Amino acid sequence: MSSYSRKPGMVPPPPGEESQTVILPPGWQSYLSPQGRRYYVNTTTNETTWERPSSSPGIPASPGSHRSSLPPTVNGYHASGTPAHPPETAHMSVRKSTGDSQVRGPSRSFLFCALQINCVTFPHPDTMPEQQLLKPTEWSYCDYFWADKKDPQGNGTVAGFELLLQKQLKGKQMQKEMSEFIRERIKIEEDYAKNLAKLSQNSLASQEEGSLGEAWAQVKKSLADEAEVHLKFSAKLHSEVEKPLMNFRENFKKDMKKCDHHIADLRKQLASRYASVEKARKALTERQRDLEMKTQQLEIKLSNKTEEDIKKARRKSTQAGDDLMRCVDLYNQAQSKWFEEMVTTTLELERLEVERVEMIRQHLCQYTQLRHETDMFNQSTVEPVDQLLRKVDPAKDRELWVREHKTGSIRPVDMEI
């Protein structure tokens, strides 16, 4: 969809009229009411009138013009679908969380009706404009969590931001459980090392002799060396994996609660402003109904009193219209602030999630690296055993044993008579 490109003061003619440009004084814009009647808005003073303002400087508007009660605005548009602000200003601006640059929503080049869901104003689905995503090349949090979602546990709803917070807290819980898993792994390593050290001191087969005896002694020594390797492995697991996982963002839950409360407060303010709009809208309806009734009475019977009542009713209707416009303006300000904080905070949550995943990935890589080192050190403890086993020589062992324990080499002979 193309955006507005007309200059201020250049107003398109209504459907069916001659195609010509109407030049308005600076600060004035022209729109159509729901009934098709053209009215004018001073964007500086918010004054509205049915009469076209004079384009000649110093000349007031046509006699009989008055500030009128017009349809309320929602999200920068009148309820009828006509924009409440000049096209050049009908956009939202939001600061990024990572800088001072502006993220701007697209200007609308068409009219659409709005609807409110849980006090938030959305375009009507039947006439919904094509909205460009804030981060169109990514599945960003800031683009997909504006509406509320039905709670599967009950009949209530869960705010989109609440879902993001739940994911963050779940991520923190997963991180904690990973740390507990590594702690269990450390305990297994420590118990294994203790059992290896204890077994290495066992006296079984300690009387084996010769080259085989040496190889056997090396087997037992290798157990003690392996126990030391596993103790070092468990210590590194604690300092380089478990502890960082456990201590990463210790105050994360507290920070998330602050964030939740801040967004919730802005949502409450928005709900309060919405209630004020509804109240003002109801008051305007009543004033307009009163004005219409008095106007009908004037048609039936003309009297000074009736004319005075009409003027009074018109003033009240105009005041009610002004009150409604003020309430809508305050509502739009509250919604813009909520929108701004939502974008800023969801982008921050997105950054935190990326940071958490990357941190866990790095420490799990450290875990596998320590495992490889442990396997390598364990291999080095059995290499001396392999070397001695290759040197085992039963014949040599027999020679050494015979030399040490021989009792005599003279063999017996036959007895002679």
Side-chain angles (χ1 to χ4, degrees):
M1 300 284 181
S2 62
S3 61
Y4 278 113
S5 59
R6 304 185 184 94
K7 296 181 180 179
M10 308 294 283
V11 182
E17 290 188 9
E18 235 177 82
S19 178
Q20 59 181 0
T21 300
V22 180
I23 301 177
L24 295 174
W28 286 90
Q29 291 291 329
S30 171
Y31 304 109
L32 289 178
S33 72
Q35 293 76 28
R37 184 177 177 185
R38 184 166 296 284
Y39 63 92
Y40 303 88
V41 180
N42 187 312
T43 59
T44 303
T45 64
N46 287 329
E47 179 183 358
T48 60
T49 177
W50 295 111
E51 301 295 334
R52 183 172 70 84
S54 172
S55 58
S56 302
I59 301 178
S62 303
S65 66
H66 60 274
R67 294 168 65 189
S68 172
S69 305
L70 295 175
T73 61
V74 221
N75 245 8
Y77 288 81
H78 288 298
S80 63
T82 55
H85 302 288
E88 290 73 18
T89 61
H91 62 260
M92 285 187 178
S93 63
V94 179
R95 68 177 184 275
K96 285 185 178 179
S97 60
T98 55
D100 296 329
S101 59
Q102 299 279 322
V103 181
R104 296 189 181 275
S107 298
R108 309 297 188 222
S109 63
F110 46 85
L111 310 180
F112 67 96
C113 297
L115 56 90
Q116 286 76 35
I117 302 176
N118 292 341
C119 303
V120 180
T121 302
F122 295 97
H124 196 283
D126 294 338
T127 56
M128 184 170 59
E130 182 180 351
Q131 292 182 329
Q132 183 179 0
L133 298 176
L134 297 177
K135 301 181 73 175
T137 60
E138 306 174 31
W139 286 87
S140 176
Y141 291 164
C142 69
D143 280 318
Y144 297 98
F145 292 90
W146 292 106
D148 297 342
K149 187 176 182 180
K150 187 174 182 180
D151 185 1
Q153 305 297 329
N155 298 324
T157 58
V158 180
F161 184 76
E162 183 64 26
L163 290 176
L164 292 176
L165 282 182
Q166 290 175 5
K167 176 173 174 55
Q168 293 290 320
L169 295 176
K170 180 180 178 181
K172 175 63 176 177
Q173 179 63 26
M174 295 302 98
Q175 171 189 320
K176 178 183 177 183
E177 291 181 11
M178 289 179 188
S179 178
E180 293 172 352
F181 178 90
I182 298 297
R183 186 183 305 128
E184 289 297 316
R185 182 74 170 88
I186 292 172
K187 187 175 183 301
I188 291 173
E189 287 294 323
E190 291 174 345
D191 292 343
Y192 183 55
K194 290 178 182 177
N195 289 332
L196 285 178
K198 182 179 179 180
L199 184 59
S200 69
Q201 302 298 320
N202 194 291
S203 61
L204 293 175
S206 59
Q207 295 183 3
E208 180 62 53
E209 300 175 335
S211 58
L212 182 59
E214 292 179 10
W216 176 247
Q218 187 60 45
V219 167
K220 295 169 70 175
K221 183 178 182 303
S222 71
L223 292 182
D225 294 341
E226 187 178 353
E228 185 66 24
V229 169
H230 283 278
L231 279 177
K232 290 180 179 180
F233 175 51
S234 65
K236 287 187 175 182
L237 278 181
H238 172 70
S239 62
E240 299 179 20
V241 182
E242 180 211 0
K243 193 173 180 180
L245 283 175
M246 179 59 71
N247 295 338
F248 183 67
R249 296 180 187 156
E250 288 182 303
N251 299 323
F252 186 73
K253 286 187 177 181
K254 185 183 296 184
D255 293 340
M256 287 298 100
K257 283 185 178 179
K258 289 181 181 178
C259 185
D260 186 20
H261 290 160
H262 179 55
I263 296 295
D265 287 343
L266 291 177
R267 189 72 182 264
K268 289 177 181 177
Q269 292 175 20
L270 182 61
S272 176
R273 295 301 185 189
Y274 178 75
S276 298
V277 169
E278 290 301 300
K279 183 178 179 181
R281 194 193 309 275
K282 183 178 179 181
L284 174 60
T285 301
E286 293 175 353
R287 295 302 182 188
Q288 288 178 328
R289 187 182 298 117
D290 182 57
L291 175 60
E292 183 179 355
M293 182 181 66
K294 286 181 169 53
T295 302
Q296 291 174 352
Q297 291 174 355
L298 177 62
E299 293 175 355
I300 298 173
K301 184 178 180 181
L302 181 62
S303 69
N304 292 335
K305 183 179 180 182
T306 304
E307 290 180 354
E308 188 64 30
D309 288 343
I310 290 178
K311 291 180 181 179
K312 184 177 180 181
R314 182 178 290 118
R315 285 196 300 270
K316 289 183 177 180
S317 178
T318 301
Q319 181 60 46
D322 291 342
D323 290 343
L324 177 56
M325 293 180 70
R326 180 181 58 82
C327 289
V328 169
D329 185 51
L330 292 174
Y331 168 86
N332 286 335
Q333 291 178 26
Q335 181 165 263
S336 294
K337 186 174 182 180
W338 172 73
F339 173 85
E340 181 179 319
E341 290 301 321
M342 276 284 290
V343 172
T344 301
T345 307
T346 53
L347 288 176
E348 177 64 11
L349 293 182
E350 193 173 291
R351 184 191 68 79
L352 291 174
E353 176 65 9
V354 171
E355 186 179 67
R356 182 189 73 89
V357 171
E358 182 60 23
M359 181 277 299
I360 293 176
R361 187 194 70 81
Q362 291 178 358
H363 285 89
L364 291 182
C365 286
Q366 181 64 14
Y367 166 79
T368 59
Q369 179 62 30
L370 292 174
R371 274 295 313 274
H372 290 316
E373 291 178 0
T374 300
D375 293 342
M376 182 181 65
F377 291 142
N378 281 337
Q379 182 62 32
S380 68
T381 64
V382 297
E383 288 177 358
V385 178
D386 289 337
Q387 294 174 2
L388 289 177
L389 288 176
R390 286 193 290 268
K391 293 180 181 179
V392 170
D393 185 351
K396 184 66 175 178
D397 289 349
R398 186 173 61 251
E399 175 188 349
L400 294 175
W401 189 86
V402 169
R403 284 179 180 277
E404 182 178 353
H405 298 92
K406 62 183 180 178
T407 59
S409 58
I410 307 251
R411 299 182 297 279
V413 297
D414 292 340
M415 182 185 296
E416 296 181 356
I417 299 178

